[in-house]
């Protein structure tokens, strides 16, 4: 065997090792439950209760991690100067103390479009409970395509990211905002009479949802299992929460342990497929510095957002230095027809994908009980068998946002197979199994080529 053959075999070994390194469970394998057009601030992998991580959170206290490489846009004071937004791209902007800001959308007449706006007050700004942010989508004649969505600071009086969403939804029962043309995203501060002057940072995330291949029901489900299951038990696995939607740490069903400091907001994402229900509780530990008998209304906030960052449910927990626990309300299984319901808790559960758990600890907790960190335990349960998706005609923007896992289960996109296999506890293992089979196949093929080439070289020697 000459040097050329030896070098060739070294190259083959490299290919084999590369294939193995790309297999699930190996250091080179990373999975994300929600594909994004912008890379996260820090790598986040799908965590499992058997995984280990650093005890402390990776997020900087009171900071929001904006999407990396997000282009900057300037909100215009009127529609004539409004800059364009493209679905599938996340943007960074700012929100002034007063007045509305406008952004332009050019939409077709076949898709539903959502625009989430996350407003971030400066961490050292004094804020009031009622001030917040509002967003709406309007047509060229100034008519709102849906009710404006508003979020406020709340009883904790702590500067924190506030996320609202606007929508242009296609519906056979509506005549307004159904055609192709120019639309506008309108964002403004609300109830700001006592607030501190100054701009807030702003992140905008427009998303396109294609229409269905086949029209279905236009009414919400009348009944669903509203019983709340018991939270998962067992030893909590360490995890580090992300600093924003784009860097949210992916979790699966299980018990998770993190640390949170006063003024900090942590982001996590949980893949939830069509037909599945998600449940979550947050437990905050007791304080070692609680002898003063302090009390912070709304000291802990737990919220759930859907894949387009629309608020589904939230709960606020007052804190007095003793351990506290809060839980989200029972939510329906993910279903396309949920969008026709009146309740936010139901209509927000309208598509599969990454659902975001967001935890905020009020800055005032630090004034009463010290800087911490405080122990945080999340208990996440995903219930039910995954069912087939509704069958979209075309692709979403960003691509894959309404899919779960690497295989795109539940996507329903044209040319892709729907899958009804698995449930919340098994989906991760199925991805690992399929990925492992794929890597093993690559190894066998490469080894086979190696043998054939070796024999031919020997025959010609």
């Amino acid at each position: 065997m000459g040097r050329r053959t030896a070098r060739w075999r070294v190259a083959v070994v490299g290919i084999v090792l590369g294939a193995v390194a790309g297999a699930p469970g190996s250091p080179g394998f990373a999975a994300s439950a929600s594909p994004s057009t912008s890379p996260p601030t820090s790598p986040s992998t799908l965590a499992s209760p058997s995984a280990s991580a650093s005890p402390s959170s990776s997020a900087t206290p009171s900071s929001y991690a904006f999407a990396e490489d997000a282009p900057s846009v300037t909100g215009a004071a009127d529609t004539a100067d409004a800059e364009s937004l493209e679905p599938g791209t996340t943007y960074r902007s700012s929100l002034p103390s007063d007045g509305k800001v406008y952004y332009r959308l050019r939409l077709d007449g076949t898709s539903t479009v959502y625009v989430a706006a996350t407003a971030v007050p400066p961490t050292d700004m004094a804020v009031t409970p009622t001030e917040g942010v509002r967003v709406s989508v309007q047509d060229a004649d100034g008519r709102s395509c849906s009710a404006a969505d508003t979020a406020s600071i709340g009883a904790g009086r702590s500067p924190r990211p506030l996320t609202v969403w606007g929508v242009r939804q296609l519906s056979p029962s509506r005549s307004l905002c159904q055609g192709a043309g120019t639309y506008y995203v309108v964002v403004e501060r609300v109830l700001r009479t006592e607030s501190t002057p100054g701009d807030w940072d702003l992140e905008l995330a427009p998303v396109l949802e294609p229409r269905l291949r086949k029209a279905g029901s236009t009414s919400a489900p009348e009944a669903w299992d509203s019983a709340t299951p018991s939270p998962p038990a067992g030893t909590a696995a360490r995890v580090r929460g992300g600093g924003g939607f784009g860097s949210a740490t992916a979790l699966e069903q299980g018990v998770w342990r993190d640390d949170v400091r006063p003024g900090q907001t942590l982001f996590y994402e949980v893949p939830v497929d069509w037909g599945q229900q998600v449940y979550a509780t947050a437990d905050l530990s007791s304080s070692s510095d609680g002898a003063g008998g302090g009390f912070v209304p709304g000291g802990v906030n737990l919220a759930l957002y859907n894949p387009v960052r629309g608020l589904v449910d939230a709960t606020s927990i007052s804190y007095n230095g003793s351990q506290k626990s809060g839980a989200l309300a029972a939510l329906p299984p993910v279903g396309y027809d949920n969008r026709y319901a009146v309740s936010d808790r139901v209509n927000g559960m309208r598509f599969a994908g990454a659902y975001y758990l967001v935890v905020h600890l009020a800055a005032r907790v630090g004034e009463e009980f010290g800087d911490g960190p405080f122990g945080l335990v999340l208990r996440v349960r995903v219930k039910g068998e995954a069912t087939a998706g509704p069958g979209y005609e075309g692709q979403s923007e960003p691509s894959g946002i309404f899919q779960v896992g690497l295989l795109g289960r539940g996507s329903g996109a044209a040319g892709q197979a729907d899958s009804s296999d698995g449930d919340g506890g098994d989906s991760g293992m199925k991805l690992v199994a399929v990925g492992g089979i794929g890597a093993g196949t690559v190894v066998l093929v490469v080894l086979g080529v190696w043998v054939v080439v070796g024999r031919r070289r020997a025959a010609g020697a």
Side-chain angles (χ1 to χ4, degrees):
M1 180 177 66
R3 292 185 179 179
R4 292 178 58 189
T5 303
R7 287 196 297 266
W8 183 85
R9 291 194 176 184
V10 169
V12 171
V13 171
I15 294 173
V16 173
L17 293 178
V20 174
S26 69
F29 176 79
S32 173
S34 59
S36 172
T37 57
S38 301
T41 299
S42 59
S44 65
T45 56
L46 184 63
S48 64
S50 61
S52 62
S54 171
S56 62
S57 173
S58 61
T60 302
S62 303
S63 67
Y64 179 80
F66 288 86
E68 288 187 356
D69 301 325
S72 295
V73 292
T74 301
D78 55 53
T79 56
D81 297 321
E83 294 189 38
S84 294
L85 305 179
E86 292 291 335
T89 301
T90 301
Y91 298 87
R92 184 164 182 174
S93 189
S94 63
L95 185 62
S97 300
D98 53 8
K100 301 176 181 179
V101 290
Y102 295 84
Y103 307 88
R104 188 189 310 270
L105 290 169
R106 181 69 184 177
L107 304 182
D108 60 31
T110 63
S111 307
T112 293
V113 173
Y114 307 89
V115 182
T118 299
V120 186
T123 56
D124 57 352
M125 175 179 283
V127 292
T128 61
T130 55
E131 68 177 300
V133 61
R134 175 185 296 137
V135 69
S136 62
V137 176
Q138 299 177 356
D139 67 10
D141 289 322
R143 298 171 297 188
S144 294
C145 299
S146 60
D149 188 30
T150 302
S152 57
I153 292 293
R157 290 188 293 168
S158 178
R160 63 188 181 94
L162 299 175
T163 302
V164 286
W165 61 324
V167 58
R168 191 289 295 266
Q169 178 174 316
L170 293 186
S171 172
S173 62
R174 292 172 58 90
S175 58
L176 187 64
C177 298
Q178 299 298 292
T182 300
Y183 292 80
Y184 297 95
V185 180
V186 187
V187 190
E188 62 181 316
R189 297 261 294 275
V190 296
L191 296 175
R192 57 188 181 276
T193 54
E194 299 178 10
S195 65
T196 305
D199 291 356
W200 290 6
D201 286 331
L202 188 65
E203 185 172 77
L204 299 164
V207 172
L208 181 147
E209 182 187 25
R211 65 182 176 186
L212 299 183
R213 291 196 300 266
K214 182 179 179 181
S217 171
T218 58
S219 60
E222 295 182 0
W224 48 274
D225 182 7
S226 59
T228 302
S230 58
T235 303
R238 282 284 186 174
V239 69
R240 295 181 295 176
F245 285 103
S247 58
T249 298
L251 304 179
E252 60 185 20
Q253 177 170 287
V255 186
W256 309 97
R257 168 73 163 83
D258 204 348
D259 291 306
V260 60
R261 293 184 180 275
Q264 190 174 24
T265 305
L266 300 177
F267 292 75
Y268 312 86
E269 63 180 23
V270 181
V272 187
D273 216 331
W274 300 101
Q276 293 183 326
Q277 294 172 278
V278 60
Y279 303 87
T281 64
D283 302 334
L284 189 70
S285 68
S286 57
S287 168
S288 59
D289 190 19
F295 180 77
V296 181
V300 188
N301 186 271
L302 170 66
L304 179 72
Y305 294 85
N306 63 26
V308 302
R309 309 183 185 184
L311 179 64
V312 177
D313 188 36
T315 184
S316 184
I317 312 163
S318 296
Y319 189 70
N320 62 1
S322 298
Q323 63 273 19
K324 295 295 178 183
S325 180
L328 297 175
L331 300 169
V334 172
Y336 187 89
D337 296 343
N338 288 338
R339 67 192 59 211
Y340 303 115
V342 176
S343 167
D344 291 340
R345 290 188 180 121
V346 178
N347 67 44
M349 302 295 295
R350 62 178 63 190
F351 19 54
Y355 280 74
Y356 298 93
L357 287 171
V358 181
V359 179
H360 176 78
L361 184 61
R364 292 177 59 207
V365 171
E367 300 173 8
E368 297 288 345
F369 304 102
D371 293 336
F374 294 78
L376 173 67
V377 175
L378 294 172
R379 303 178 189 274
V380 180
R381 184 180 294 280
V382 178
K383 178 183 176 183
E385 294 287 335
T387 60
Y392 286 122
E393 183 178 271
Q395 295 292 336
S396 63
E397 294 292 345
S399 177
I401 192 171
F402 305 126
Q403 299 176 5
V404 169
L406 296 180
L407 301 183
R409 291 168 48 244
S411 66
Q416 297 181 354
D418 293 328
S419 172
S420 58
D421 295 334
D423 58 21
D426 297 336
S427 59
M429 292 307 298
K430 289 182 178 178
L431 291 176
V432 169
V434 173
I437 291 171
T441 301
V442 172
V443 172
L444 292 176
V445 170
V446 172
L447 290 177
V449 172
W450 188 349
V451 171
V452 171
V453 173
R455 287 177 178 176
R456 289 182 177 179
R457 287 182 178 273

